Amino acid sequence: MKTDAFGACSVNVYSGQAGNVSVSATVVNSPTTTQSIVITFSQAGTPQLSKIYILNSMDESPANGVDENTAEISTRTQEGIAVPNVDLTATVSNEASFITGDNRIEFITDANGNATLPFTNIHSGEVVMKVWQTINPVIYAEESFSFAEGNSNLMPVLELSIISNNATANNSATNLIKAVVTNVDTGLPLANAPISFSIGNSSSDATIIGASSFKTNNAGEAYVSIIDAVAEDVIITATLSDSSQSESVVITFTKTESSALKITGAFNVNKDMAIGMPTTAWQGAQFGLYVTGGSGSYTWKIDSPSLGALTQSQSNQGFTLFNFSNPQYGSYSITVTDNETGEQDTYGFVINAIFEGYQGKDTLFSLWVFNKGDGLASPQQLTELYNEWGGWALIMVGSITIMSIGVMILGFL
């Protein structure tokens, strides 16, 4: 080109890509006379989404959980220009599901503004698909599809197996069950098959952790975990949603590992008592037995010379208290039983002196050895009473207050 009368000329530069472009000008008759400048082209504006289209490209597939209906999704401007890379959300009705196993999915259209969504169902009938822009739900589209009655050759087969068993019955350790649903004809897994689990024996203390009804994963599998607080056998049943099939297995929970059940000794409010004590008593005297091990859930049984001679008054963690309601001479046997394991231990003693007040006297030396014929207690008998029940200045023997020199005690709780 040539310069004009003012020695100037101009040129228009176009580019299909954003970025910097170097433009050089050279005088034809003087190649060394040249100059360059850099110009910039900016990115063209992104097309604005106006419409979403759903094309029904595959319909009326059998409702067998395998065959798919297919939707072609496209995102366009008002003029029909493709809008790429749009974040969309889609749902399907009537328990249909996408390849993720859910009835809802989030996805992005490709560089041409297109996406393909396959989905399945095990229920025949209409399925409505809705697709909307994730950040702007007012731009959406809906389309109806249909699933035909499932092919009998594609009906599901349910199998149930035990993955882990013999968990400890501590209401924490789990047994794990797996259900697998497959195609009866091909043996291939059926994803998204609704299945529910239940405990077959109604008297069981077992519990299913979390949900008991859900859909199989892409491998046609569903898992459930069970806990129990009691050692027992438990029946677990899996059932397909249409109740066409159910399978059951028996799992086992074992007893809690614990130390042996044992009565370790006796005590009163003042002191621990030697094994085989008490040997002395009075109406209202109270003592306790220490117990360790086992499950912590116990039942106590008293064998005494007469009914009501000794009664259980209070049970606590680690010990139980007993009261001489109507003490009698003779042998006593106290047995503790673990309610969960059946384990037992027994503590025995013999009462050979029963004390009571005599003729309203209020001194230690008026203690009467009840029903013995010896009258007032001997020093040896008083020593035995002291050695078993501890030092005292105040102790209740029936309704009589006995006073003595010694260390004050406050009686029995």
Side-chain angles (χ1 to χ4, degrees), residues 261-286:
L261 176 66
K262 186 173 180 61
I263 298 173
T264 59
F267 67 96
N268 61 55
V269 71
N270 292 312
K271 58 182 290 185
D272 287 341
M273 307 172 83
I275 298 299
M277 289 184 178
T279 63
T280 60
W282 65 91
Q283 186 174 7
Q286 189 179 70

Side-chain angles (χ1 to χ4, degrees), residues 353-367:
I354 301 174
F355 296 88
E356 65 176 6
Y358 175 65
Q359 295 184 355
K361 303 294 184 181
D362 61 358
T363 68
L364 174 66
F365 301 103
S366 68
L367 280 179

